[in-house]
Amino acid sequence: MICFENVSKSYNGGRVKAVDRLSMEIGQGKVFAFIGPNGAGKSTAIKLMTGILSPDEGRVCLDGIDMAKDPIAAKHTFGFVPDTFDMYERLTGVEYLNFLGDLYGVSAPDRKRHMEKYLALFSLEDAAYQQIRSYSHGMKQKLAITGALIHDPSIWVLDEPMVGLDPQSVFFLKEEMRRHADAGKTVFFSTHVLDVAERLCDEVGIIKRGHLIAKGTLEELRGGADASLEELFLELVEEA
């Protein structure tokens, strides 16, 4: 479960409020899509959730663990796929995955089973023994996805995960996101691809200028109207 409690974050000495009194809760067994215009605060909210940034006020809890009070325990609850990749590029793919396995205390049999599954799923078996610096953007994306799941986290956080992936890999990723949620875990992803969000998500949150302007299932947001997520998004952002 993910919980934001009155979370705010400012930049430039408080002149730019990237996230403003954000409060929301995402339960287990959910695929949650977080959408908003460019600069709305999506990435800042994700960095607050993952402990990359600290809030000016409020708190973030993951599976009941306060990120500020026990950041190590909180960070063990999730796997994170960022929108940019800062990897140890002189490592091979397998060395990188084993490094993550060591960090999270994953047993040798579990990590072997995990690597065999996902390296095959994303067609990385041969590239896994090459240095990461030789990888394309899409290959790094697939490796990041594989690494994020190596400890079977209860929360999976993805920032624009479909960017740079080929259609087959996008299909496999969506299948894994659904499977993760169906196993009683939480998937939180940001995206600009609204038709994907509409087909995949159980709940959606819409943010604009740091404010959460809507949250709920598509049925709840539609309020009985026959509207697509794109139409709802444009209407709600315009009203806000």
Side-chain angles (χ1 to χ4, degrees), residues 2 24 26 32 34 46 49 156-158 186-190:
I2 302 167
M24 63 178 178
I26 300 104
F32 181 84
F34 198 45
I46 287 175
M49 181 180 12
W156 192 11
V157 183
L158 308 99
T186 307
V187 178
F188 182 110
F189 77 107
S190 72

Side-chain angles (χ1 to χ4, degrees), residues 85-160:
F85 309 109
D86 294 318
M87 296 175 166
Y88 300 105
E89 295 205 340
R90 290 187 181 275
L91 295 180
T92 66
V94 166
E95 289 170 340
Y96 175 76
L97 295 174
N98 276 314
F99 168 69
L100 292 177
D102 290 342
L103 281 179
Y104 289 108
V106 181
S107 69
D110 285 346
R111 74 177 71 176
K112 181 175 184 292
R113 183 166 54 251
H114 176 87
M115 284 192 274
E116 286 177 350
K117 172 185 175 180
Y118 285 98
L119 292 177
L121 185 69
F122 290 121
S123 302
L124 286 176
E125 299 105 319
D126 295 335
Y129 295 93
Q130 300 169 10
Q131 288 186 330
I132 296 170
R133 61 179 177 173
S134 69
Y135 286 18
S136 67
H137 176 90
M139 292 166 69
K140 290 179 181 178
Q141 179 90 336
K142 296 173 189 178
L143 186 66
I145 293 166
T146 303
L149 295 175
I150 198 163
H151 59 303
D152 192 24
S154 61
I155 298 170
W156 192 11
V157 183
L158 308 99
D159 194 359
E160 294 290 349

